[in-house]
Amino acid sequence: MSKDSQMRAAINQKLIEMGERERLKELLRAKLVECGWKDQLKAHCKDVIKEKGLEHVTVEDLVTDVTPKGRALVPDSVKKELLQRIRAFLAQHATL
Amino acid sequence: FQVNHPGDFSLSPIKPKLNVLSVMSPAGCSHVNGYKVDNWKQNLRVIYQCFVWSGTAETRRRKAKSCICHMCGAHLNRLHSCLYCVFFGCFTKKHIHEHAKNKRHNLAIDLLYGGIYCFVCQDYIYDKDMEQIAKEEQRKAWKLQGTPLLFLRIGEKYTTWEPTKRELELLRHNPKRRKITTNCTIGLRGLINLGNTCFMNCIVQALTHTPLLRDFFLSDRHKCEMQSNSCLVCEMSQLFQEFYSGHRSPHIPFRLLHLVWTHARHLAGYEQQDAHEFLIAALDVLHRHCKGDDNGKKANNPNHCNCIIDQIFTGGLQSDVTCQVCHGVSTTIDPFWDISLDLPGSSTPFWPLSPGGDGSTVNGESHLSGSTTLTDCLRRFTRPEHLGSSAKIKCGGCHSYQESTKQLTMKKLPIVACFHLKRFEHSAKLRRKITTYVSFPLELDMTPFMASSKESRMNGQYQQTVDVLNNDNKYSLFAVVNHQGTLESGHYTSFIRQHKDQWFKCDDAIITKASIKDVLDSEG
């Protein structure tokens, strides 16, 4: 594993251990609902389902179709806030 | 036809995916049968507890260490765990698929969301028993974590709506759907004036546009425990049904009026009443009726009530009385539903706001030619007040009567804050209406008025770093009640907000579109 992915893995471990990952997830969830992201993607999912047909669509279809759009639609302010939280957390628990 | 789910009006219920190969219940697949043997339930629970929703510090540590792909070591890429053996593999890179093929282990669990994947069906499946276990384990983990973010103030974590058989039946028999678009006016309805009842109509408009209250009633959350037909909460529920029915003709709230008269005698009669008094009386009756007739005790103790009214409207006001001699502080916290603010022009002096008051502008309000702002009123409300020699308090520290200062601050903020500008003066000398214009903002930050802020200031932390990202104390305006005229003869109207930024003026039966400027220019 590259140095980068090693660091990622280490950070991830720390986040999980301290329960911070769950808290961040909930914060992100709340922010994405607030800014309407969830509704946007939900509408998009419905379109995919209508297109592919209710009987034939799989979760994989949705994931493939929706993931790039979902990633692109996250507002910068939300990304900024999450990053800030993670940085603050690492600053507090920095033994990495 | 009662709409149960407030959010999604436009989609007919999605049937769980019907697997072409399945023979069993529509939600699952037959391939789980190989798994459902021996002690499978307990095994599955352990997997959820350890690797999906880890509630304890120990399980979290284990999860952090062991949840990596056995083939490539990555922790990302939609990691799945095999249900038949201890194997973790990436989904995206198909490592788990390889494992499934080689070992003929056809089931895996998504460690991010807890979904069960069947490699034969090549899709996620929803087995009723397994779903039940998943839900229970998720709830357990949340309880253990207990961080405030996980629970909405209402006390339950959001879960998606799962229609019951009866609900599915109702939906099938009533195929008409309403789509909520940005222009749609559902929820807006005029109210007929039944004889000087504009004071009631305004408050009703404000309440029916309180999002949390609306969601509570449209989701049928009220379980009535009253024997008679005089439950105000039931009537409120009916009112919401009327408002969201889509009917455009004004509603005649005669039943509501009758119930209010029955339960709040002091408001009965056809003369003009005070809208603020009505608000408090209405909240009080609703709060009492929420508990039913059995829990009379609980209803009297606001600190222990968990009804929807308390959850939304009740805040805590801290009163600190400081002895001027020994500087001992006696603190009490009282619940409140509203903040009544004195205005300049009343018989009690308004300015200066506090001994040596500061002139800073908070909340972006500008002092246009010296006009008073809501923030000014709040600063005055929370200022330290010398109680004077004629109002000495018995000090517990000095064991004698001493002069003291009293200060009010917010200990706990309600979800919906109601500010009442005391425009009607009923002193011994005169009865009049104070028409001083008070400007108010669209967004209000209550942080400077919190008890915690006061403590920071006292500890010398004057320059509080404004946590721009912390939204906990920030409020957004959604309703304004106005009174035109005099104390003797006047008329109430209100502005309410719909869809985040659309405002409407409610004048009894007449609803008209309003601009933000109209709202902010109004008296308040």
Side-chain angles (χ1 to χ4, degrees):
Chain A
M1 268 203 295
S2 66
K3 219 32 189 322
D4 224 23
S5 41
Q6 261 184 343
M7 167 131 288
R8 274 183 141 185
I11 294 178
N12 184 58
Q13 263 191 34
K14 198 81 201 192
L15 286 172
I16 295 179
E17 265 179 51
M18 309 286 303
E20 182 71 7
R21 193 170 197 277
E22 281 306 309
R23 282 190 284 273
L24 286 171
K25 225 163 89 168
E26 282 315 306
L27 175 67
L28 179 59
R29 199 167 267 156
K31 294 277 157 197
L32 290 176
V33 168
E34 253 174 51
C35 69
W37 179 93
K38 184 173 174 180
D39 293 327
Q40 272 180 298
L41 283 188
K42 201 167 165 190
H44 192 64
C45 284
K46 286 183 196 167
D47 290 338
V48 176
I49 294 171
K50 276 193 199 136
E51 207 187 289
K52 295 252 154 82
L54 191 55
E55 299 303 320
H56 302 113
V57 69
T58 64
V59 176
E60 225 30 53
D61 289 331
L62 287 169
V63 171
T64 323
D65 211 289
V66 171
T67 305
K69 186 153 195 198
R71 287 218 166 102
L73 285 174
V74 178
D76 283 333
S77 57
V78 176
K79 289 184 190 167
K80 225 171 161 184
E81 180 166 357
L82 262 288
L83 265 175
Q84 205 160 356
R85 281 284 288 252
I86 296 173
R87 275 204 194 99
F89 171 81
L90 291 176
Q92 252 192 315
H93 304 271
T95 47
L96 301 166
Chain B
F1 169 50
Q2 270 198 359
V3 178
N4 285 336
H5 191 244
D8 196 344
F9 284 96
S10 67
L11 187 70
S12 44
I14 292 186
K15 293 194 287 279
K17 180 184 171 3
L18 272 170
N19 192 293
V20 181
L21 304 169
S22 97
V23 184
M24 308 274 290
S25 61
C29 74
S30 53
H31 311 112
V32 297
N33 292 345
Y35 181 74
K36 286 182 170 182
V37 293
D38 301 327
N39 202 15
W40 73 271
K41 281 195 179 176
Q42 192 49 34
N43 291 342
L44 189 60
R45 280 188 197 280
V46 171
I47 294 181
Y48 274 113
Q49 286 165 15
C50 293
F51 305 121
V52 185
W53 294 304
S54 317
T56 65
E58 197 204 306
T59 50
R60 278 203 298 268
R61 243 172 288 141
R62 193 173 334 147
K63 175 176 165 138
K65 289 225 153 60
S66 54
C67 285
I68 52 172
C69 176
H70 284 195
M71 289 186 68
C72 69
H75 64 272
L76 305 162
N77 305 324
R78 290 168 67 195
L79 204 62
H80 280 60
S81 164
C82 174
L83 279 188
Y84 286 102
C85 71
V86 181
F87 180 90
F88 298 119
C90 307
F91 192 94
T92 323
K93 303 236 170 102
K94 303 261 188 248
H95 295 157
I96 189 82
H97 296 69
E98 266 191 65
H99 170 87
K101 201 168 89 170
N102 297 341
K103 295 280 170 107
R104 305 234 181 141
H105 291 173
N106 63 349
L107 294 173
I109 181 170
D110 177 351
L111 296 184
L112 275 178
Y113 299 106
I116 309 281
Y117 190 87
C118 172
F119 287 94
V120 184
C121 300
Q122 288 190 35
D123 198 8
Y124 288 91
I125 53 107
Y126 308 96
D127 180 87
K128 207 165 30 172
D129 299 325
M130 293 167 127
E131 289 289 293
Q132 183 62 25
I133 292 174
K135 262 205 187 115
E136 286 167 11
E137 291 308 316
Q138 194 171 28
R139 276 226 164 85
K140 274 194 224 167
W142 289 336
K143 281 215 170 93
L144 285 171
Q145 294 211 333
T147 53
L149 273 178
L150 289 182
F151 294 92
L152 300 173
R153 295 276 201 105
I154 302 298
E156 267 179 38
K157 169 135 180 159
Y158 169 81
T159 49
T160 49
W161 172 52
E162 305 221 351
T164 61
K165 275 208 175 85
R166 173 86 183 116
E167 282 164 353
L168 282 173
E169 226 181 276
L170 279 169
L171 283 165
R172 266 186 229 119
H173 284 139
N174 296 280
K176 183 174 176 193
R177 300 282 178 267
R178 268 181 234 288
K179 190 152 187 147
I180 308 287
T181 58
T182 40
N183 315 338
C184 89
T185 54
I186 197 166
L188 282 175
R189 226 179 144 182
L191 288 164
I192 298 283
N193 188 321
L194 296 168
N196 275 329
T197 58
C198 51
F199 71 96
M200 178 178 82
N201 289 348
C202 286
I203 301 297
V204 169
Q205 292 289 0
L207 290 177
T208 51
H209 287 88
T210 303
L212 284 172
L213 203 60
R214 174 202 66 201
D215 292 351
F216 175 84
F217 281 108
L218 288 181
S219 341
D220 272 342
R221 300 269 295 270
H222 170 58
K223 305 280 179 262
C224 197
E225 291 172 30
M226 281 183 78
Q227 318 307 55
S228 58
N229 266 355
S230 62
C231 175
L232 191 64
V233 190
C234 286
E235 183 53 36
M236 204 74 224
S237 186
Q238 216 14 65
L239 197 71
F240 274 95
Q241 289 299 318
E242 290 289 342
F243 267 71
Y244 286 86
S245 61
H247 292 138
R248 298 179 72 100
S249 57
H251 174 63
I252 311 173
F254 64 90
R255 251 207 322 264
L256 178 71
L257 185 66
H258 174 71
L259 277 179
V260 168
W261 282 356
T262 312
H263 294 291
R265 285 279 144 78
H266 62 287
L267 288 177
Y270 276 108
E271 37 173 83
Q272 180 68 276
Q273 305 286 355
D274 189 296
H276 170 250
E277 265 195 69
F278 176 80
L279 171 68
I280 300 301
L283 289 179
D284 183 51
V285 178
L286 286 169
H287 158 73
R288 277 189 276 133
H289 288 191
C290 274
K291 303 306 286 174
D293 290 329
D294 308 322
N295 301 0
K297 276 193 191 147
K298 268 199 184 158
N300 289 332
N301 187 347
N303 292 329
H304 290 297
C305 183
N306 209 23
C307 70
I308 188 71
I309 300 298
D310 271 323
Q311 287 181 42
I312 297 178
F313 294 99
T314 303
L317 188 65
Q318 180 165 322
S319 169
D320 295 311
V321 177
T322 311
C323 170
Q324 288 304 90
V325 176
C326 70
H327 298 290
V329 186
S330 158
T331 304
T332 49
I333 299 172
D334 290 307
F336 70 87
W337 277 330
D338 71 316
I339 307 278
S340 286
L341 301 167
D342 288 315
L343 297 181
S346 69
S347 38
T348 46
F350 188 87
W351 307 96
L353 294 178
S354 59
D358 53 346
S360 55
T361 38
V362 192
N363 289 312
E365 292 160 335
S366 52
H367 284 259
L368 293 160
S369 55
S371 70
T372 321
T373 67
L374 179 66
T375 315
D376 288 333
C377 297
L378 281 167
R379 266 190 283 147
R380 183 177 181 282
F381 185 76
T382 54
R383 81 201 186 292
E385 191 186 348
H386 291 296
L387 291 179
S389 49
S390 52
K392 284 188 182 173
I393 306 285
K394 178 120 190 247
C395 172
C398 303
H399 300 294
S400 57
Y401 283 88
Q402 303 293 350
E403 280 193 35
S404 52
T405 56
K406 174 174 141 176
Q407 186 173 18
L408 296 172
T409 47
M410 306 285 155
K411 178 70 180 172
K412 172 182 174 266
L413 290 174
I415 299 183
V416 172
C418 305
F419 296 103
H420 167 231
L421 301 178
K422 289 157 81 174
R423 295 193 175 282
F424 299 134
E425 179 139 19
H426 296 284
S427 62
K429 303 174 214 159
L430 35 71
R431 281 166 40 98
R432 63 185 173 119
K433 178 183 170 189
I434 301 165
T435 53
T436 318
Y437 172 69
V438 177
S439 75
F440 47 88
L442 275 179
E443 309 236 317
L444 177 68
D445 189 346
M446 289 293 284
T447 312
F449 313 111
M450 303 290 295
S452 49
S453 302
K454 175 192 162 194
E455 274 152 41
S456 311
R457 279 199 295 275
M458 283 170 62
N459 292 340
Q461 296 163 253
Y462 264 94
Q463 266 315 101
Q464 260 188 299
T465 43
V466 178
D467 192 353
V468 190
L469 296 173
N470 183 353
N471 286 332
D472 288 350
N473 302 332
K474 294 195 181 142
Y475 285 89
S476 196
L477 185 70
F478 75 92
V480 182
V481 173
N482 285 302
H483 179 267
Q484 287 108 14
T486 63
L487 211 59
E488 287 76 36
S489 89
H491 180 55
Y492 278 104
T493 56
S494 58
F495 286 106
I496 49 101
R497 193 183 82 190
Q498 177 120 314
H499 297 314
K500 273 188 199 173
D501 56 359
Q502 288 180 37
W503 286 86
F504 292 87
K505 180 172 183 179
C506 305
D507 187 346
D508 287 331
I510 303 168
I511 311 282
T512 45
K513 195 133 197 338
S515 68
I516 292 180
K517 187 173 187 302
D518 291 334
V519 179
L520 294 179
D521 282 348
S522 68
E523 204 174 65

